[in-house]
Amino acid sequence: MHLHGCKQTPQTPPTTSDEDSSGSTDDGEMKKKKGNRAMGKKKYPKAVRYYSKAVRIDPENPTYRLNRCIANAALELWKDAEDDAASAVQLGDPPSSKSHYQLARARLKRGHCDAARDAVATGLAACPAAPALV
């Protein structure tokens, strides 16, 4: 809509800030979505911060840890990536092939070839049709 040659924009709805968080799973999902957006923009440190907030809200959610693992891997923080991937494997019911792949990748990047091979073997036993592990 135009008034006197000026373009008017609709009012934006109010947004919730990080401080207003009540600690529910929806808040964790909101942090994950913000982390995903930061990953899409290649703002990896920001993504790690959002995923870390999601992990604090719901520490038993393997997806939050896997996403943080991938962000840490993008920053080449392989120890942190390995820790998160191992947690994602442990928390997953059943663990995803992506978690096993990221665990093997982080271990390989850290020079732990035998441990990486073990992660792939464990992943293939749990997910035999996973193309990422073949």
Side-chain angles (χ1 to χ4, degrees):
M1 175 163 128
H2 295 281
L3 291 177
H4 305 289
C6 295
K7 188 176 183 181
Q8 285 188 337
T9 58
Q11 289 189 358
T12 57
T15 59
T16 58
S17 68
D18 291 345
E19 292 81 29
D20 295 336
S21 173
S22 64
S24 71
T25 304
D26 291 339
D27 290 336
E29 286 297 313
M30 182 182 71
K31 302 293 186 231
K32 183 184 95 169
K33 286 179 184 176
K34 287 183 176 184
N36 291 348
R37 266 187 256 131
M39 284 291 289
K41 295 177 182 178
K42 298 186 182 204
K43 295 182 178 183
Y44 304 122
K46 191 174 195 177
V48 169
R49 284 193 300 275
Y50 280 121
Y51 294 139
S52 294
K53 289 177 182 181
V55 167
R56 279 193 297 276
I57 292 168
D58 186 4
E60 301 299 312
N61 188 322
T63 303
Y64 301 161
R65 298 208 186 240
L66 179 60
N67 287 3
R68 187 170 66 181
C69 163
I70 294 168
N72 279 321
L75 293 168
E76 296 186 5
L77 299 173
W78 299 113
K79 173 70 174 116
D80 293 336
E82 180 182 0
D83 292 344
D84 279 331
S87 294
V89 167
Q90 184 179 14
L91 292 171
D93 187 27
S96 73
S97 60
K98 291 179 185 179
S99 298
H100 288 287
Y101 170 78
Q102 290 297 332
L103 179 58
R105 179 179 178 219
R107 287 179 174 171
L108 187 63
K109 290 289 189 174
R110 293 188 67 215
H112 302 148
C113 297
D114 292 336
R117 190 177 303 114
D118 291 344
V120 170
T122 304
L124 282 172
C127 314
L133 297 171
V134 176

